[in-house]
Amino acid sequence: MPQLTDQGAIDEDERERTGTWMTPAEYGASRAAVWTAAVVLVTDTRGRILVQSVDYRADRLLPGGAVDAGEAPSEAAARELREELGVDGRYPRGLAVDWIPADTPGFPPEMRFPGEILHVYDGGTWTPDRIEAVRLPAQEITGIHFAEPADLPDLMDPGDARRALSALRARVNGSGAALLEDGRPTAPTALDRLGVLRTRRIPLHGAWHPGPVPERLAVQDLSAWLFAPDGRVLLLISRATGAAHLPPPTAGSTQDAAPLGYRHGERGVHARTAARLTGLPPGADPEYARLLATPEQIRELSDWGRAGDDELAAVHGARTLLGLPVPTRTPPTELT
């Protein structure tokens, strides 16, 4: 930073001197000006993202808006949700900070858009009761709905969609706010590199039943919760689609395998086993990336409906029986 000095203290010798001396007025004039805004990412219990329709543009938006003069971004986020949705709350946890360049398309020249720093805050998961409590204002906000993450590029401005998906992946990662430039992470994680959530999740909403599948029911597919020694589990990500899958029981060497439960719904019977993962074959299927993630992270990347919580409870019970630790949430680790 250039050294500043009081205007009245500069003598003629200093005015003639070359270097980095600047008056406060000169230094202030040299600084770049940008706008500041804050939005909030809210999901429902199925992991869909709240977007709102507005009366001044066709694209959908996350709730939020401009930060007023002298206002902290987190205060702006709370104020905007109160004004736009009639919901009181505090949103201290940041998911992303995005730099939006001045040459971003869509801004009229007369607006003289200087660029923007936009903060994305975590609004959490809203229950049906809280969603029912939303009250829209008489103007500006014309409606809300919850969108599948993969549908955001069709509903939003491209930069807004990139930002929302990057913020959602940052929430799943659980390692703090992501730094973005025009919606793209400056330090992409495995979820970013693989484009997780860029395609629609397969809904699997059948009721959860613990234990083995009855003989009278035909199993449509069998997958497994395979536990690493640190309590995390194996997750497969399709390189072509970014879709998240639990692996088959044969994805690695295992011990102590046992039936965990099954789902029985419109899509048939989907059975799950649980086992201790003792080794991985070196020749992995090149179509899939192999990651280690916490069970909660896998739950958040899936569309399992209300029964997903029942399955997650069964997974934790199996982990306890295997004598494995509770895993710490960190960004999923890709295995080479």
Side-chain angles (χ1 to χ4, degrees), residues 234 250-253 277 279-285 290 336:
L234 185 64
T250 56
S253 303
L277 184 64
L280 288 171
D285 187 342
R290 300 182 295 183
T336 58

Side-chain angles (χ1 to χ4, degrees), residues 76-93:
R79 174 182 53 76
E80 288 285 348
L81 260 70
R82 186 167 56 253
E83 294 174 355
E84 295 181 343
L85 303 181
V87 174
D88 287 321
R90 292 181 64 254
Y91 311 100
R93 182 186 174 205

Side-chain angles (χ1 to χ4, degrees), residues 168-212:
L168 183 58
R169 294 182 191 124
R171 180 206 267 187
V172 175
N173 281 323
S175 59
L179 297 181
L180 313 178
E181 293 182 355
D182 199 17
R184 299 177 177 89
T186 59
T189 66
L191 298 185
D192 298 310
R193 292 193 303 271
L194 294 167
V196 172
L197 297 173
R198 73 179 186 270
T199 55
R200 291 181 67 88
R201 302 167 300 165
I202 298 174
L204 193 59
H205 297 164
W208 173 257
H209 303 273

